Every structure is written in C-alpha cells, then in structure tokens.
Amino acid sequence: MNSNFTPLFEELALRSGIQLKNRVVMAPMTNWSSNEDGTVSEEELKYYERRSSGVGMVITACTYVTRNGKGFAGEFGGDTDEMIPSLRSLAATIKGQGAKALLQIFHGGRMCPPELIPGGDLVSASDIPSDQNGNLVPRSLADEEVEAIVRDFGEATRRAIEAGFDGVEIHGANGYLLQQFFSPHTNRRNDRWGGDFDKRLRFPLAVVDEVKRVVAAHAKQPFAVGYRFSPEEPEENGITMDDTLKLVNVLADKQLDYLHVSLMEYKSKPRVGADDSKSRLEWILDTVADRTPVIGVGSVHTPEEAVEVLQTGSALVALGRELIMEPDWVQKIVEGQVNEINTTLSKQDQQRLVIPDPLWQGIMNAPGWFPVVDGDQK
Ligand SMILES: Cc1cc2nc3c(=O)[nH]c(=O)nc-3n(C[C@H](O)[C@H](O)[C@H](O)COP(=O)(O)O)c2cc1C
C-alpha cells in the first residue's frame, strides 16, 4: 500500500470503548428496500454485507422510532419490539463482515409522505409546511407528544442494544424533526420547546440525554452514541453557520462518541453566519477543538481526498455514494490497486454491485447524483 494512505488505517478508540479498525465509515444511506411490514429485506442485507468488510464502521439507513416518523417508502422500523429480530439480522450482517454497526435513529416530522403515516397526521415543531411535501401543513406537536417522541428515541436505542448494534446515530440533520425544532424557520413555538436559541435546542438535547440514559441503563458492552447535524438551511430565517457553531459547541461537551456533519461536498464554504475564509468543516473542527471526534463527509471519491479530510482534523471520513459505486474501495487501497477504484457506475452494474431494485431505480432516476456512464467498469 502507498504510505500516503496510512492515516486511513489508524485504529481509533471511541469514548464509549468501541474500537474502530480504521478511519473509513459508510455514510447512512436510505435505500427504500425494506419490507412493507418494516422489517429489513434480504436484498438489503446482501447490499450491506457487500459493503461491510473494508470500512471500520457502517451507519445504517435511518430507521423510524415511531410510526408517524416514517419518512420513506421502504424504510425499516425501529419502533416496536417486534422489529428486534429484523434489527438483529442487520447488525449481525454488518458485524459478520468485520465492521462496527451503528443504527441511525430518526423521525421525519413534516417531511414524511402523509400516505406512509397513520391517518396522514403530519407533525412538526410548528405548522410550517415544507416545499418538498406539497405544502401540506403539519400539526404542531403538543407538549406531551414531544416528550413521548423523546422516549421513542430512547426505546429505539434500547432495541438497538438488544439487537446487537454497536451504537446509534441520532439523525439531527437534513431537515427532519430534530432539525425542525432547532431551526427558527420551522420552530415558531413560545413554550419550553421554542422561542430563543436555548429553547430551540431543548428537544435535540432531550433526545441526546434520553438516548444516553438508556445506554447507561441497558448496555452491557461498549455502545456508541453519535449525532448528525446539517450546517445551514437555504430558507429565510433558517439555520445559519453561526447557529450551527453554537449547537456544535454545546454538543461537543455532551460526551458523545462523535459528531457527524451532513455535507454533500467536504470543501463547501459557509453561505451565511460565518465568513468563507474556511470551509464549513474547518469552522466546525475549530469549534469542536478536539473535544469530540468529528466525521467529515461529502463527495469523497479518491484516497487522496479521504486523507485530506483527515488532515483537516476530522477523526473519521465517511463515504456514501462512492461505496455504492465501489464496495471494494478500502480493499483496493490496501492491495495497491488505487487505479482500479471505480468512481462511476454503468447501467449494467446493478447485479455486480449488489444494489436492491428500489435503490437502483433511485440512482437511475436522479441524474447528477451519481455519474452514470456507458461501458464496463473495472
Ligand atoms: C441515496 C442516498 C440516501 C441517503 N440517505 C441518508 C439517510 O438515511 N440519512 C442521512 O443522514 N443521510 C443520508 N444521505 C446523505 C449521505 O449520508 C451523505 O451525507 C451524502 O450522500 C454525501 O456524501 P457522499 O458524497 O459520500 O455520498 C443519503 C444520501 C444518498 C445518496
């Protein structure tokens, strides 16, 4: 192996005691391929199995913690104890290939397609519709409902522990319910869950505290807790980089195993709330100041790019689309076959890459997300 790439292969011990064999993480990616009843499908297990032997840690697609948080068709559930065998099969599949398995726990809030949730009862922090959801007006959650969802995140964590996962990632990013409470655009409340910055932070922090309480009460082995957030929102009065740095400053003292920024491009610069002398990732790393490991992500395709993310100060680097296109990304680096790494896919690749039908259709129908080319791949 080229010695320039050795930083990718350093071990890392997380705060909880989880030991990672290297610095490469599979980013959480929804694949729309679970069964109607919320269980993980065989196709999905094969897809994860194919991608879990090189990376140190796999973060699963998001799973709903309660039925009215189901955000995607073909999303698997973590909402009832009946789902534990299904969750166990997913954890065992990932761990069987040598990676640590983390379950991403989630509530979609106003972004849920109404046909997927009981009674179409769309909920959020406040009654602000989302452009992506046909402008349907969500219902503002009552105080006791907010508390119930906090407990739902705890219950999903308990199920993850019982199913044998090595940890959970709290999905506070990409415009879903936690972010809807944090954002001044979507949170217009005047009770204890909204108003000023501290109150908007209360729901995400209540989820963190509840998840950590459940881990302390139930986990008999090391169990990691991470938190994912998005740095900025495009909407008027949305989250700015300044808000995010304040959030990150609080989270960095929460004794979490890691913080995970959600970015499509690791070099991207702030739009509002911080100057563009540094990338968003650099701003976040400077704020965290080594208090907690940070995962960098976004359009990392080559090992050189991955090393650059680590050299910026990220403890870990996550790959999403690249691991769909190249399941052997880590192995090819180890074996000195860097020139053989595929950074595109072709229309003939579905079987070779072990990609379930719904994800494959998603890839084919989203030009620009994936570089689809003609001809054979390496
Ligand atoms: C098909 C697809 C599904 C995704 N689903 C999720 C998800 O469930 N949870 C999440 O936090 N991010 C999700 N993401 C975002 C990725 O985790 C990642 O941040 C993004 O793709 C940028 O990384 P990449 O350039 O390496 O793909 C998804 C991305 C893709 C392409």
Side-chain angles (χ1 to χ4, degrees):
M1 182 179 72
N2 180 331
S3 62
N4 291 343
F5 306 138
T6 51
L8 296 171
F9 295 93
E10 283 171 22
E11 294 178 4
L12 182 69
L14 298 179
R15 188 170 260 141
S16 59
I18 291 289
Q19 296 278 342
L20 302 181
K21 67 180 179 188
N22 63 41
R23 303 300 179 106
V24 187
V25 174
M26 179 165 165
M29 283 181 291
T30 291
N31 55 50
W32 304 278
S33 306
S34 308
N35 298 316
E36 273 293 308
D37 63 0
T39 55
V40 175
S41 67
E42 284 303 315
E43 291 70 32
E44 230 174 337
L45 293 177
K46 288 185 191 132
Y47 159 85
Y48 280 105
E49 184 176 35
R50 183 70 186 85
R51 289 166 174 81
S52 301
S53 54
V55 298
M57 173 164 107
V58 171
I59 306 168
T60 67
C62 62
T63 184
Y64 50 93
V65 301
T66 177
R67 274 295 277 111
N68 93 324
K70 182 170 182 175
F72 304 94
E75 179 182 349
F76 65 96
D79 60 323
T80 64
D81 283 3
E82 281 154 34
M83 293 296 145
I84 293 175
S86 146
L87 296 173
R88 191 173 287 133
S89 65
L90 179 55
T93 296
I94 295 168
K95 290 165 66 171
Q97 296 299 308
K100 298 296 178 189
L102 269 78
L103 182 71
Q104 192 184 52
I105 52 177
F106 155 94
H107 190 300
R110 69 175 191 157
M111 305 285 275
C112 297
E115 67 277 11
L116 293 184
I117 54 177
D121 183 22
L122 202 64
V123 297
S124 183
S126 301
D127 56 356
I128 310 298
S130 113
D131 295 345
Q132 290 103 303
N133 216 353
N135 279 323
L136 283 165
V137 181
R139 183 173 65 78
S140 173
L141 283 161
D143 181 82
E144 61 278 10
E145 290 180 304
V146 181
E147 285 191 338
I149 294 175
V150 171
R151 288 194 298 276
D152 291 333
F153 273 91
E155 281 289 274
T157 302
R158 177 184 57 76
R159 292 178 197 114
I161 294 167
E162 288 180 25
F165 277 94
D166 298 298
V168 291
E169 176 171 286
I170 300 168
H171 195 345
N174 300 354
Y176 300 114
L177 190 65
L178 271 74
Q179 189 176 326
Q180 290 162 31
F181 271 83
F182 180 56
S183 165
H185 173 72
T186 38
N187 185 341
R188 314 277 175 99
R189 303 174 75 102
N190 286 309
D191 62 357
R192 63 183 172 133
W193 305 108
D196 59 18
F197 177 86
D198 289 339
K199 288 179 178 168
R200 283 188 280 111
L201 200 55
R202 186 167 273 153
F203 174 63
L205 291 186
V207 170
V208 169
D209 289 342
E210 175 66 1
V211 166
K212 290 189 57 121
R213 186 193 68 75
V214 167
V215 172
H218 292 275
K220 297 186 181 68
Q221 287 162 6
F223 189 86
V225 180
Y227 190 100
R228 193 167 211 206
F229 58 93
S230 288
E232 291 184 77
E233 288 177 338
E235 290 92 355
E236 198 182 339
N237 204 25
I239 295 169
T240 66
M241 202 63 208
D242 182 49
D243 292 320
T244 288
L245 296 181
K246 285 193 209 151
L247 165 76
V248 162
N249 188 42
V250 175
L251 290 175
D253 283 333
K254 277 295 202 182
Q255 303 295 311
L256 293 162
D257 284 88
Y258 67 84
L259 298 176
H260 187 182
V261 60
S262 181
L263 292 170
M264 290 308 282
E265 166 54 67
Y266 73 93
K267 290 180 185 165
S268 63
K269 300 272 179 85
R271 278 190 301 247
V272 191
D275 69 59
D276 62 4
S277 60
K278 292 186 271 194
S279 68
R280 288 159 161 162
L281 183 56
E282 287 169 318
W283 274 107
I284 289 160
L285 288 164
D286 287 355
T287 303
V288 173
D290 290 332
R291 284 175 286 168
T292 296
V294 171
I295 307 184
V297 68
S299 300
V300 175
H301 297 285
T302 67
E304 288 84 359
E305 289 166 336
V307 169
E308 191 184 326
V309 171
L310 296 185
Q311 282 168 346
T312 312
S314 307
L316 295 160
V317 53
L319 280 70
R321 290 167 293 178
E322 181 56 37
L323 281 177
I324 291 183
M325 298 186 286
E326 181 54 271
D328 295 323
W329 194 87
V330 171
Q331 291 86 335
K332 285 187 176 175
I333 298 171
V334 174
E335 285 158 22
Q337 298 171 346
V338 170
N339 294 337
E340 306 291 306
I341 290 177
N342 289 308
T343 55
T344 57
L345 48 71
S346 88
K347 288 181 184 151
Q348 288 75 46
D349 276 341
Q350 181 185 0
Q351 265 68 41
R352 186 180 67 80
L353 294 176
V354 192
I355 298 178
D357 284 344
L359 175 57
W360 184 252
Q361 278 146 26
I363 292 170
M364 289 298 132
N365 293 335
W369 267 54
F370 286 82
V372 182
V373 298
D374 291 329
D376 290 337
Q377 305 286 292
K378 291 164 224 158

